[in-house]
Amino acid sequence: AEDQEALIVRFVNLTSQDQPVRVRLGTAQLGVTVTGAEQVNLREHRVNPLEVVEGTVTLTARPSEIVTVALQVRPKPVEPLLQQGSAQDDSALEDSEGDPR
């Protein structure tokens, strides 16, 4: 989104009936967590807030409707790969001859 820190998802209902829609990011692959969502218009102005439940946004797309959703995301905390102070950690920082990298 140009005016806000959000990921924009846009889709269209090509059917002649209301269609239930679930939007869910592959947050593990993207390294982000969805913290909020709102439906916006094509100019990305707010239309209505949407509830996020366990990373999923659910809404209904009306017939022939173009739907735009703004997802607020934040980076997932990075888990440390090594614990400091262990012998295993020190050896991981040495090359095959025992010299520090």
Side-chain angles (χ1 to χ4, degrees):
E2 293 179 18
D3 296 340
Q4 58 181 323
E5 293 293 323
L7 177 65
I8 298 297
V9 179
R10 186 169 288 137
F11 50 92
V12 62
N13 176 3
L14 297 175
T15 72
S16 60
Q17 300 175 16
D18 286 356
Q19 295 295 320
V21 177
R22 289 187 302 155
V23 178
R24 181 174 179 88
L25 295 179
T27 56
Q29 295 86 352
L30 295 176
V32 296
T33 300
V34 177
T35 59
E38 54 194 3
Q39 189 168 354
V40 297
N41 62 21
L42 290 174
R43 300 183 113 185
E44 299 177 9
H45 296 144
R46 294 179 177 129
V47 174
N48 74 6
L50 298 170
E51 186 177 11
V52 179
V53 177
E54 296 181 12
T56 302
V57 176
T58 304
L59 62 133
T60 299
R62 295 186 308 263
S64 303
E65 180 182 25
I66 299 170
V67 178
T68 306
V69 176
L71 301 172
Q72 287 77 42
V73 296
R74 66 176 160 76
K76 284 183 123 178
V78 177
E79 306 239 351
L81 297 176
L82 301 172
Q83 294 182 356
Q84 292 182 354
S86 72
Q88 183 179 7
D89 293 347
D90 294 338
S91 65
L93 300 176
E94 298 173 353
D95 64 17
S96 62
E97 297 176 9
D99 295 323
R101 291 186 192 179

